[in-house]
Amino acid sequence: MVSPEGHSIRQADRIAIKNRKPSASTIQTFKTGRHYCELEVGGKPNWSIGVKVEMAKEALLVLPEKEIQLHLKNGGFVFTDGSEFPVLNATQDLPRRIGLYLDCEKQQVSFYNADTMSLIHSSFCSFLQPCSISVCPGLYMDGKNCGPLTFCWY
């Protein structure tokens, strides 16, 4: 469920969708420039943030959606870009805020521990279509992961 002001997301019905991971994407899309946002994750043990290619509905019938995501699950970071693999050089302390930096000219997306501004992971992204920022508050986990994720734009 997205908050009325559009700044945070949480699971709408914590009982009915216990094993489902709801997600949301920004209305604004990006194709040029440099963009930075932070996501307040607090002490949540399961969440994800990334960029998603905005494709025409006709294209979705032919091509799968393209996403680049950083996930926190099982106490560690996992990166996905079609394949999934653990992030080995992640910081020891789990951050309370995650920074996402999208540089459309360099075709690069970077994820930061926004508490210390240390790099968690960076990846090449060759999107030809506009992309949006996507977030997922993660699984409910019997109430251990029920808090919201909150956006901050800079």
Side-chain angles (χ1 to χ4, degrees):
M1 176 178 195
V2 177
S3 66
E5 70 280 354
H7 294 161
S8 63
I9 180 175
R10 66 172 179 81
Q11 289 192 2
D13 182 343
R14 292 181 170 104
I15 304 301
I17 58 173
K18 186 189 270 189
N19 296 319
R20 188 171 156 251
K21 295 190 289 186
S23 63
S25 297
T26 57
I27 295 171
Q28 182 180 10
T29 59
F30 310 97
K31 191 170 180 175
T32 61
R34 292 180 221 143
H35 310 278
Y36 180 77
C37 68
E38 289 182 2
L39 188 66
E40 179 75 38
V41 297
K44 289 176 67 66
N46 186 275
W47 49 260
S48 63
I49 182 172
V51 293
K52 177 173 108 175
V53 173
E54 295 298 320
M55 300 176 87
K57 289 182 183 177
E58 302 80 35
L60 288 175
L61 298 174
V62 180
L63 301 169
E65 263 184 346
K66 173 73 172 157
E67 287 189 85
I68 294 176
Q69 297 271 318
L70 179 72
H71 308 272
L72 178 67
K73 57 184 178 180
N74 301 322
F77 292 112
V78 176
F79 175 76
T80 59
D81 64 352
S83 298
E84 183 175 295
F85 57 91
V87 176
L88 301 176
N89 62 347
T91 58
Q92 294 292 335
D93 296 325
L94 294 178
R96 299 192 60 77
R97 291 181 314 165
I98 295 292
L100 182 147
Y101 180 67
L102 175 63
D103 188 331
C104 296
E105 279 69 35
K106 289 185 178 179
Q107 297 183 328
Q108 186 172 28
V109 61
S110 302
F111 301 95
Y112 291 89
N113 173 337
D115 299 333
T116 63
M117 291 312 295
S118 58
L119 181 66
I120 296 171
H121 189 75
S122 190
S123 177
F124 176 74
C125 59
S126 60
F127 300 153
L128 300 176
Q129 299 89 357
C131 60
S132 61
I133 308 298
S134 65
V135 296
C136 174
L139 296 171
Y140 181 61
M141 300 173 67
D142 294 323
K144 295 177 189 154
N145 196 43
C146 62
L149 297 175
T150 304
F151 262 113
C152 301
W153 290 94
Y154 297 99

